[in-house]
Structures are given as structure tokens and as C-alpha cells.
Amino acid sequence: MSDSDGKNTLGLRGGPRSGQVKQSFSHGRTKNVVVETKRKRVIVPKPDAGKPTAGSPHLGDPSKRPAGISDAEMERRLKALQMAKAREAEDETRRAEEEKQREEDRQRRREEIEAKEREEQEREERLRAKAEEEERERLAKLASEKRAEQKATEPKAAAGPGPVEDSDTRGGAKPAPRKVDRERDVRDDRPAKAKTREDDSRRAGKLTVNQALTGGEGGRQRSLAAMKRKQERMRLKAMGGGDSREKVVRDVQVPETIVVQELANRMAERVSDVVKSLMKMGMMVTQNQPIDADTAELIIEEFGHKIVRVSDADVEQVIDQVDDKAEDLQPRPPVITIMGHVDHGKTSLLDAIRNAKVVAGEAGGITQHIGAYQVTTDTGAVLTFLDTPGHAAFTSMRARGAQVTDIVVLVVAADDAVMPQTIEAINHAKAAKVPMIVAINKCDKPEANPQKVRTDLLQHEVVVEAMSGDVQDVEVSAKTGKGLDDLLEAIALQAELLELKANPDRAAQGAVIEAQLDVGRGPVATVLIHNGTLRQGDIFVVGEQWGKVRALINDKGERVAEAGPSVPVEVLGLNGTPEAGDVLNVVETEAQAREIAEYREKAAKEKRAAAGAATTLEQLMAKAKEDKNIAELPVLVKADVQGSAEAIVQAMEKIGNEEVRVRILHAGVGAITETDVGLAEASGAPIIGFNVRANAPARQAANQKGVEIRYYSVIYDLVDDIKAAASGLLSAEIRETFIGYAQIKEVFKVSGVGKVAGCLVTEGVARRSAGVRLLRDSVVVHEGTLKTLKRFKDEVAEVQSGQECGMAFENYDDIRPGDVIEIFTREEIERKLA
């Protein structure tokens, strides 16, 4: 561009691309080039060739150079121009290469598509040729069969008029062969036409209405069976028998309630007929409505069938109750349960027998799960041990341990004697009717007194052999290993007397010792097999859950293919977490297992609903009134195993009194999830995590919603904290303390104040901040506070006994001479749950 006087100027605007040459034009003898950069648009002279020199027109001749442009600036502009040209050339080259590459890609894709189309066409041609060849073979075979049939019928036709045939033959006339030849020619032409028609129908691809109606070679025709049925119906109709069939009498299984449509299906009758019969009986029902078993019985008898009444509980009859034969029974290892008070050394004793360190893995050194282990002694005997918790909260877990055991080993500390959980363990063992062996532990301590243990056991009807009884007792020390061999010998002797046997060659049956929800493995149940053998792949039902054995893991963490009687294993493959103590049974099919589990779940739900529902309106109102007066502490519990969750729930249900109680919103197994946080937020409840943690989304949701999550690993701390929190809901106890009496001598009227009583303090002290009661003839007529307390003209805080003072009540003026004022203080005392 140029201005009015013909000199070059600089354009200050950005171009579409940095360093792009937009246009060139001549100005005098110098060719100028317009270059647009990101910041400005400049006009620079284009050199004739190569690098500009001092003799070039613009560098050497200042008159030809644009005004105000120095040599350095001119050289810089020329370099910028060269760089812009180089970049433009590179861009052009790159664009050409990219276009070439895209063209090659398009060409390659076109070739691939064409190759696929050719392959598909060749495959279709091969299939068409093969089909045509098969059709030609079929038609040729059909023509040959027809010719053979024709040849077979010709001799019979010729054998009829014998003399005529002989005369014709002697005369040399042969009309029959010519006819046969003509027919053969017609038959030879027929396959070609049929072939053409077949090809047309095959090319058509679909059966049209015209083809179906004309019944050509390619059309669908009635089957031979359909033709026979039609002929049979026509024959019966001609004989006058009609289409009547013999009535099929069925045995119809009817539960307590059944839907009308299902009843019709079981009778193989039309639903409309069943509904019509019900309407005749006065019942306006539809096919989707249920009816009771008595009504269904009337309908079944009306239709001529037989009723078989069943109940929902019959689904469990598929679980076989096999009576084992004596020759099938084989010896099995004994199951020994270690029981006793907390911290008496049960797990340490088992550690010493197993040469393991189980107690190191328990929080606080206290057992909080049932542990199942199998030990092989030096003599080769196999023993199965169950280690139960000793804390008071785990009553149900100890009870389960006693129910599945053969022998109970009662561990009593020699320095602590018989304690509450020791007594409970004795009662469990007696209730289960299993033999007991007393192991007196911690005999290595200086303060140990085994004889005191034996004496204390007498109070609970446990007489040891040392005191002429029948219960074996062994002094042991888990720390030093003293007496362990004697204990194992006593167990082996007791097991030999019991003669424990089981049949391993039958469907497995066992009991769930513990169950948990593992993050990586899903629901896992620790099962002790009672009878039979549990194998990988078996389908089983356990409580309200069912599953298929995906893996079996023994107590050492190794995978095993099967587990026989008295073997504890972890079972993987359940669809949910079962309750501890549920019985495991192997069934034949998955459908049976699912049906049994659904029935048990439904029955348990109905039982829970019936237990929580009020039967009458009066009970409902009384329950609502009772709940209104009771303060509740809602809590949501998540634990690592089912047994711990159950023990925590039982311990919390014992917390409270007639004013406050703990309400369990939900108790489950597994990590704390967002669903738990949502439930806790809606109910304003804290979340208690026992040996579990919240996942990342749950932690984030808890922080956002302000939900408190508390983690515990020892049940002592959990119970104490919940008890303290529940104690905070108790209303404070208000205690009154009498501090003095005053008698009114005279009543004065004071302007601006009202009536003021002139009093004499007869006993104790009168205080301004204390509460007062006005007694008239020993009857309380007013209770309130003092508005003023004066001695002479001064306002005072208190007046001692024997002194006179003036008192005025707050918002009360009905005072008379001779009334007595009782002065007292109130004190609030916090209450705690026992």
C-alpha cells in the first residue's frame, strides 16, 4: 500500500497466518512484498536475488528506501520475509504429503471393500451353484424313480389282452413303445421346467401368498401327519362320533392360595371356563386374582380333576434326610470348642497347640470372631478346634460353638478362678449335652491356685477327677507349654469314647460358623461340615441364601477340591451373606436352591412383620404413647463378620432403660457405602464401623452431609461410647435443697413495687437467687422467685436466721400476715446408664 505522496507505509493489522505473504506490487524500480504477521502488517521490499548487499537499490540508495527505515531494520524485515516464505513452503509440502497420504488411505479402503465384495459374490455364486447341482441331482433321481415305476407297470398292462398283443406284435405294429417314448420325452422335458421354477422361487427368497395358494413345487405343503389327522377327523365325523375326546383326569397341586390363571394351567383348562364357573358360584374374579384352597377345590372337582393340597413349606422336602447305614459310616475327627472367660488364655492355648500366633492378629489381644482350625498331633490324630470369644457380648457366638461341637474344653485361669463367662460356658455345654474337659491355664504364675479353681467349679456341679468326679482336668500353661501333651491325650481319650463316625459318601450338610462380606471375593462363609463331602461345583442352600461352590479354602489359606466331615472351610460363591448358625444343605438343581431360599426369606420377613405389628387398636395406641415418651438413639452398624454384627446388636439392645433406648437402624456386613451414609443422614444417626472402613465415595458423602462415622476394633470401647451417648439423652435429675424458712409478720404496700412482706427469718438463710414457696396453713399456695430482698433500705443477697427483712414475690401479691415462706435451691444432676 502507499500514501498520497507515493511512499510506502506500514499496515498495523494481523493476518490470517503468521508470516504469510499476502501480495506484491511495484513501486518505482523496487518490487515490494506485503507480509502479515500476528501483530502487524508490514510492506518490505523484495530483493532481486540472494542476500541483500550494500550495493542493492534499497540498502545503498537511501532515496529509494522507505522513509525512516534503517539498514538494520531493513535487514530484519528481509529475514522475516525469507522465514515466512520458508514456512509457507514447508506448509505446502506438508499439506501435499497429507493429501497424498489421505488419497492412499482412500484407495486402500476402496480396494479392501472391492475385495470383500468380490469374495462375497464368489461365495454366493458357489452356494448358488451347489444348490443348483443338488436340485439337478434330486430332479434326476425323481425322474429315474418315475421311469422305474413306469417300467414296472408296463408288463402288467401288457398281460391283460394277451391275444391282441400277440397279433399286434406279429404284425409288426408297436404302438406302446412309441407311447412310452413320447411320455419319456415329456418326462425328460419336465425336470428342466421344474428346475426353472425352482430357480425362480429360490431367487425370490420368500414364500409369497400366490405361491402358497397355488401349491407349486417350491410352496409349503401340508405334512403327512396333518393329512392323517384330517382323514381321521373326517372318518370320525362320518361315523357320527364327532371330535369328542376322552377326559384326562389330572392331579392338581393347590397351595394355600393360587391365582385363577395358574389354576387353569394346572388343570389344562381354558381360563375363560374357570372364570365362568367362579362367576356361577357368585365370585366376580378375574384371571389375575388369587383364590383360597377351598374355592379351588370346588372348581377342580367341578372340572373332574383330583386335588392335591400342598403348603409352601413343602419346597424344603427336596433336602434329603438320609439315614446312613452302619457299613457306610467312617471315623471322623472330633470337633473341640475352646470356651471360657475373657483373657483367660483360650487363644494363647490354641496358639501353643497350633504353633501359631492368632492372638497377635486380634485387636487388643481379645478374640472377636469364631476361629476354626484343624491340627494334626504328633501321634497323627486330626483335631478340629473352634475358638470362641470370651467377652460378655458374644453370648450367641459361644452358644453356636457349643451346638456344633463334640467336646468342650473349658479354660479357667488359675490366678482368676471361675468368672461370669466361665459359668455361661458351663451352662452352654450342659445345654448341648457334650462332654467337658477343664484346662486350668496360667499355672506358671506364682499366684496360681489350681485347687481354688477345682473348688469353685463344685458350686456349678462340675466335679473334676481330682475330686472323685467324672470331668477330666489338666493343668496347663500356654506360655511354657506345660501340660499340652496331657491335654491332647485327654481329648483323644474322650473322642475315642464317643466313637465319632460320619458318612462321607453323601450330600454335604454343615453349619455356618462365621460369615463376612469380602471386598474382592464377595460373601464368604466359614462352614464346618457335619456329614457328607462338600465339593467344588456343588449347589447348596444355607438359611435365606443359596449359591454354587466356587472355591473351598482351608484354615491355612490353601484351595482344596473337597471338604469331608469335621473339616472347616471357607466357601465362596454365595449370593448373599448368611447368618451365623445357619445350616448348609446340598441340593440337586439351582432352581430348587433358589426356591427354598426365596421361601425362607419370605417366611422370615412375615415373621419379623408379625413380631413388630400391633394386633389391636388399643395395643397400637399404647405402643405409640410408649414410644413418644422414650428417647431413642438411632445407630447404624457395619461389621466385618456376621457374628460380630450380631453380638454388637445384642449388646446395644441391652443399653437403656424406661426413658432411653438404642435403636438399630441397620446392621450389616462389609464396608460402609454411600447408601449407609444416606440412611444415617435421613435418620440423624452415627455410623459405627467395627473392623471395617468407609470407601472413598462414602467418606466424601459423609463429609458433605455431616454424618459422623466412628471406627472401633475392640467391642469394649464401642459399648462404652454408645452407653455414654445414650446417657446424654437422659433428662437431668433435679434435686431440691431446703435452705431456710421465714414468717410474714406484716404486709406493706409500696408504690411502684406492690405488696412487700415484712418477714423474720426463723430458720436457715434467705437468698435472693433462691426459689420460694408460700405456705398458708401448711399448704403451698404459690411457688416462684423473689423480686426483691431488702434489709432496712438496702438490697441484699441473703439474710441470716433471726434477722428481719422485706420480701416481694415476682408477679404475685396475695400475701397475708402469718404465712410462711419456704426458701430452697434447685440443682441439676446428670444421670448415667448403669
Side-chain angles (χ1 to χ4, degrees):
M1 297 179 65
S2 62
D3 54 7
S4 59
D5 59 355
K7 293 184 179 181
N8 295 332
T9 59
L10 297 176
L12 300 178
R13 56 175 185 156
R17 185 178 297 165
S18 175
Q20 182 176 359
V21 179
K22 296 294 290 183
Q23 59 181 339
S24 62
F25 57 92
S26 297
H27 183 76
R29 289 177 296 175
T30 306
K31 191 176 183 181
N32 297 330
V33 179
V34 179
V35 180
E36 286 192 2
T37 63
K38 288 183 178 179
R39 294 188 178 181
K40 61 185 178 179
R41 183 169 179 266
V42 298
I43 304 173
V44 296
K46 182 177 179 182
D48 292 338
K51 185 178 179 182
T53 61
S56 61
H58 292 293
L59 293 180
D61 191 359
S63 62
K64 302 297 184 178
R65 184 185 305 160
I69 302 298
S70 63
D71 294 345
E73 179 66 19
M74 196 66 184
E75 186 175 356
R76 186 183 63 79
R77 293 185 181 185
L78 290 174
K79 286 183 179 179
L81 176 62
Q82 292 174 357
M83 291 174 64
K85 284 187 174 183
R87 282 194 294 270
E88 185 179 8
E90 290 176 358
D91 291 343
E92 289 293 338
T93 305
R94 186 174 64 256
R95 283 196 296 271
E97 291 178 354
E98 291 176 354
E99 184 64 29
K100 183 179 178 181
Q101 184 65 31
R102 283 195 293 270
E103 185 63 30
E104 291 177 356
D105 292 343
R106 284 195 293 268
Q107 183 65 24
R108 186 171 61 255
R109 284 196 294 270
R110 279 197 299 269
E111 292 176 355
E112 291 176 355
I113 293 171
E114 290 175 358
K116 288 182 179 178
E117 289 178 352
R118 283 196 300 271
E119 291 178 0
E120 185 68 20
Q121 189 175 0
E122 291 174 358
R123 187 177 65 83
E124 291 178 356
E125 290 178 356
R126 287 196 298 270
L127 292 175
R128 191 181 298 113
K130 183 178 179 182
E132 292 176 356
E133 181 65 27
E134 291 177 353
E135 184 63 22
R136 281 196 297 269
E137 292 178 358
R138 186 182 69 82
L139 294 175
K141 184 178 179 181
L142 184 62
S144 61
E145 289 177 354
K146 288 183 178 180
R147 285 196 296 270
E149 291 177 0
Q150 186 66 24
K151 288 180 180 180
T153 56
E154 283 178 0
K156 295 180 180 179
V164 175
E165 184 180 1
D166 292 342
S167 62
D168 291 341
T169 305
R170 283 193 301 268
K174 297 181 180 180
R178 284 196 299 270
K179 186 177 180 181
V180 170
D181 293 339
R182 194 179 303 113
E183 291 177 355
R184 185 182 297 115
D185 295 338
V186 173
R187 285 197 302 269
D188 291 341
D189 294 337
R190 196 176 300 159
K193 296 179 182 178
K195 174 184 172 182
T196 305
R197 189 161 55 246
E198 286 292 330
D199 293 343
D200 294 340
S201 62
R202 188 181 296 110
R203 290 191 185 95
K206 294 183 180 178
L207 179 66
T208 64
V209 177
N210 292 332
Q211 290 176 353
L213 293 175
T214 54
E217 286 285 336
R220 296 182 183 177
Q221 298 180 1
R222 296 172 66 91
S223 65
L224 183 60
M227 296 296 294
K228 287 182 177 179
R229 287 196 298 269
K230 183 177 179 182
Q231 292 175 359
E232 182 67 19
R233 285 196 299 270
M234 292 175 65
R235 186 180 66 83
L236 292 174
K237 188 175 181 180
M239 294 173 62
D243 290 338
S244 61
R245 298 180 183 178
E246 185 179 354
K247 181 72 175 180
V248 179
V249 179
R250 304 177 186 275
D251 292 333
V252 183
Q253 292 186 350
V254 178
E256 296 172 0
T257 59
I258 187 170
V259 179
V260 174
Q261 185 173 11
E262 178 63 22
L263 177 62
N265 293 339
R266 294 186 181 185
M267 293 191 299
E269 302 288 349
R270 288 186 294 185
V271 181
S272 58
D273 295 340
V274 178
V275 173
K276 190 184 299 182
S277 299
L278 287 167
M279 288 183 176
K280 289 179 180 178
M281 295 168 57
M283 297 182 63
M284 298 298 144
V285 297
T286 63
Q287 62 179 359
N288 297 322
Q289 287 182 271
I291 57 175
D292 60 290
D294 296 334
T295 306
E297 183 176 2
L298 297 175
I299 296 295
I300 291 169
E301 291 176 353
E302 181 180 346
F303 280 89
H305 299 288
K306 297 179 181 179
I307 185 172
V308 179
R309 287 188 178 247
V310 296
S311 64
D312 293 339
D314 292 342
V315 297
E316 297 198 26
Q317 291 180 355
V318 298
I319 300 176
D320 297 330
Q321 301 295 334
V322 180
D323 294 331
D324 297 319
K325 297 180 181 178
E327 57 270 17
D328 296 334
L329 300 178
Q330 299 179 13
R332 65 171 178 85
V335 179
I336 303 102
T337 300
I338 310 292
M339 303 179 74
H341 192 72
V342 63
D343 203 25
H344 275 200
K346 299 182 296 299
T347 306
S348 300
L349 181 62
L350 186 56
D351 285 348
I353 297 173
R354 298 179 60 227
N355 296 322
K357 296 294 178 186
V358 175
V359 73
E362 295 284 357
I366 302 168
T367 301
Q368 321 210 36
H369 311 98
I370 287 184
Y373 314 99
Q374 204 162 32
V375 177
T376 304
T377 62
D378 296 336
T379 59
V382 179
L383 306 176
T384 300
F385 283 95
L386 297 181
D387 185 17
T388 60
H391 187 265
F394 295 98
T395 302
S396 58
M397 298 175 74
R398 280 192 298 277
R400 283 197 299 274
Q403 289 166 2
V404 300
T405 192
D406 301 316
I407 302 170
V408 170
V409 174
L410 182 65
V411 179
V412 187
D415 60 341
D416 205 10
V418 176
M419 299 299 286
Q421 268 66 60
T422 310
I423 301 170
E424 185 185 296
I426 293 171
N427 295 333
H428 285 318
K430 288 182 178 179
K433 297 180 180 180
V434 293
M436 187 189 312
I437 299 174
V438 178
I440 305 174
N441 196 15
K442 301 185 180 181
C443 289
D444 57 314
K445 286 191 173 183
E447 61 272 20
N449 188 357
Q451 192 60 32
K452 183 177 183 301
V453 173
R454 297 186 180 97
T455 306
D456 290 349
L457 288 173
L458 291 174
Q459 303 175 12
H460 308 285
E461 300 178 1
V462 178
V463 184
V464 298
E465 289 180 345
M467 305 189 76
S468 302
D470 56 353
V471 178
Q472 300 183 73
D473 65 308
V474 183
E475 296 183 9
V476 297
S477 172
K479 189 173 182 180
T480 63
K482 171 190 173 184
L484 293 182
D485 294 337
D486 297 338
L487 177 61
L488 293 176
E489 185 179 350
I491 293 173
L493 177 61
Q494 188 66 55
E496 188 176 350
L497 292 174
L498 293 175
E499 295 183 355
L500 303 171
K501 292 183 179 181
N503 180 13
D505 302 324
R506 54 164 287 179
Q509 182 180 3
V512 176
I513 303 300
E514 197 57 271
Q516 61 181 342
L517 185 62
D518 194 279
V519 176
R521 300 183 297 172
V524 180
T526 303
V527 178
L528 180 66
I529 307 300
H530 288 164
N531 213 344
T533 302
L534 184 64
R535 297 178 176 83
Q536 190 169 345
D538 283 351
I539 298 169
F540 61 90
V541 59
V542 49
E544 301 174 21
Q545 312 298 334
W546 66 276
K548 184 177 182 181
V549 179
R550 197 169 72 237
L552 297 172
I553 302 173
N554 62 11
D555 59 317
K556 300 180 182 63
E558 303 168 347
R559 283 206 173 200
V560 293
E562 60 182 26
S566 300
V567 178
V569 287
E570 281 189 343
V571 178
L572 278 68
L574 293 103
N575 71 324
T577 307
E579 298 286 337
D582 287 343
V583 178
L584 180 144
N585 294 99
V586 172
V587 295
E588 294 181 359
T589 64
E590 187 174 315
Q592 291 177 349
R594 187 185 294 109
E595 189 178 6
I596 295 171
E598 289 176 355
Y599 163 71
R600 291 179 176 176
E601 184 179 3
K602 179 182 176 183
K605 190 180 296 182
E606 291 176 353
K607 185 177 180 181
R608 287 192 293 267
T615 55
T616 63
L617 183 61
E618 290 78 8
Q619 292 177 352
L620 184 63
M621 298 298 292
K623 188 175 185 300
K625 186 176 180 180
E626 179 185 350
D627 293 343
K628 187 177 179 180
N629 297 328
I630 296 178
E632 289 185 340
L633 174 65
V635 175
L636 193 146
V637 178
K638 294 301 285 290
D640 54 343
V641 295
Q642 190 69 41
S644 297
E646 183 182 349
I648 292 169
V649 170
Q650 291 177 354
M652 289 186 179
E653 287 175 349
K654 295 177 182 177
I655 298 174
N657 53 19
E658 64 278 359
E659 297 181 31
V660 65
R661 67 186 177 192
V662 179
R663 181 165 64 96
I664 307 298
L665 293 176
H666 171 67
V669 177
I672 299 169
T673 61
E674 284 186 276
T675 306
D676 301 327
V677 175
L679 177 59
E681 183 206 11
S683 306
I687 299 177
I688 306 299
F690 187 76
N691 286 334
V692 296
R693 294 292 181 268
N695 53 31
R699 287 196 300 271
Q700 186 177 0
N703 292 333
Q704 291 175 353
K705 299 175 180 179
V707 176
E708 182 183 9
I709 301 178
R710 292 192 177 188
Y711 300 117
Y712 296 92
S713 57
V714 178
I715 199 168
Y716 290 120
D717 303 334
L718 189 153
V719 174
D720 291 343
D721 285 358
I722 296 298
K723 189 178 292 185
S727 300
L729 298 177
L730 289 172
S731 58
E733 180 183 353
I734 299 175
R735 186 176 298 172
E736 291 185 355
T737 305
F738 297 100
I739 59 175
Y741 288 93
Q743 188 174 11
I744 299 176
K745 296 295 186 181
E746 191 62 52
V747 178
F748 306 96
K749 289 185 179 181
V750 180
S751 61
V753 178
K755 290 184 178 181
V756 177
C759 306
L760 174 65
V761 180
T762 58
E763 183 181 341
V765 62
R767 288 182 185 161
R768 169 74 178 78
S769 58
V772 292
R773 291 190 184 94
L774 182 64
L775 306 179
R776 187 173 296 157
D777 298 331
S778 298
V779 177
V780 178
V781 295
H782 175 69
E783 180 177 338
T785 57
L786 289 176
K787 181 167 62 174
T788 179
L789 176 63
K790 289 189 176 183
R791 173 131 174 96
F792 299 107
K793 293 184 179 181
D794 301 327
E795 187 79 25
V796 293
E798 65 179 31
V799 178
Q800 297 295 329
S801 175
Q803 297 179 351
E804 294 180 346
C805 60
M807 295 184 188
F809 290 87
E810 192 79 42
N811 300 326
Y812 191 76
D813 286 340
D814 184 17
I815 53 178
R816 302 173 186 175
D819 290 348
V820 177
I821 298 174
E822 184 181 70
I823 303 111
F824 61 91
T825 59
R826 280 195 177 97
E827 181 183 9
E828 289 188 356
I829 300 174
E830 288 189 5
R831 299 162 62 197
K832 293 185 178 180
L833 292 171

